[in-house]
Structures are given as C-alpha cells and as structure tokens.
Amino acid sequence: QVQLVESGGGSVQAGGSLSLSCTASGGRLNTYTVGWFRQAAGKEREFVEGIGWSGSTAYAGLVKGRFTVSRDNAKNTAYLQMNSLKAEDTAVYYCARRLEALPSRQVYEYDGWGQGTQVTVSS
C-alpha cells in the first residue's frame, strides 16, 4: 500500500490561509482517490474534502467555498488550500487514500492514512 505524509500545517490568524500537502511514496497516487480529514481535540475525525481519480471532488458543507482540494499526480501529491480560516478549523489534518474512483465521506472507507499535520487558527 502507498504511504502518505502530510505537511504545511502551522499557526495562523483567523481569516488567514494555509496550504497543506500530502505526498505519496511507495506507490502511484494516480491509482487512488484522496480524502482530507480533520480531528479536533475531543472530537471524532471528520471528512473535509476529497478528490477522485479524474479530479471529481466532494466537500463538507462547513468548508465548501473556503477550502480547495487539488492533486498533481506527476508529483504524487495532493493539496488542500485553506482560506478564510476560522478558529473552528483548528484540528489535526490527515490525508487518506482509497482504491475507488470517487471520494467517500466515511473514515472507515479509507485504508491508508498519513500521520497528520496540526493546524491552529487563533481568533
């Protein structure tokens, strides 16, 4: 299975932006749909955005219009551009992959995960 590594997290003021990257090793990222999830302290891991083989995307309602998911298969990398960040976006952000054509919002339908990167938004 492919290994995923997230990067780009950090601390930002509310209203600011961050760009997260998810890089695959040991496999071809273009084989997989990529999902972005986040987990805030004391809460369940939740779906943020996903992007399928052909570039089809799925969004969580709370972030649609603020976040943009993309991928560059030549670089074995997926991205999550986060704009207009809010304090409620503070969480550990994870990328994950599944061997299906379309994104899923369900954690259990992904079988490979990165270690996560912390995003902290101050108000």
Side-chain angles (χ1 to χ4, degrees):
Q1 64 183 36
V2 69
Q3 292 78 46
L4 304 176
V5 179
E6 303 94 339
S7 63
S11 298
V12 66
Q13 190 175 24
S17 299
L18 283 173
S19 182
L20 306 183
S21 298
C22 172
T23 300
S25 63
R28 298 180 298 276
L29 189 62
N30 63 4
T31 308
Y32 302 96
T33 285
V34 176
W36 285 96
F37 293 78
R38 69 187 186 188
Q39 187 166 16
K43 296 186 177 181
E44 298 290 327
R45 193 169 299 184
E46 65 178 351
F47 176 79
V48 178
E49 296 193 33
I51 184 164
W53 297 345
S54 65
S56 60
T57 56
Y59 305 89
L62 291 175
V63 303
K64 186 177 181 180
R66 299 190 296 122
F67 294 5
T68 302
V69 65
S70 61
R71 65 193 299 163
D72 186 340
N73 290 334
K75 297 180 179 179
N76 291 320
T77 301
Y79 304 93
L80 183 67
Q81 177 65 46
M82 305 186 294
N83 300 319
S84 301
L85 283 162
K86 305 175 181 180
E88 307 91 89
D89 296 318
T90 295
V92 177
Y93 283 72
Y94 300 87
C95 66
R97 58 86 168 171
R98 67 193 299 255
L99 193 60
E100 301 290 344
L102 299 175
S104 170
R105 291 177 168 84
Q106 304 302 317
V107 168
Y108 68 86
E109 291 188 325
Y110 292 80
D111 60 6
W113 293 84
Q115 297 301 305
T117 185
Q118 177 71 48
V119 171
T120 302
V121 183
S122 60
S123 60

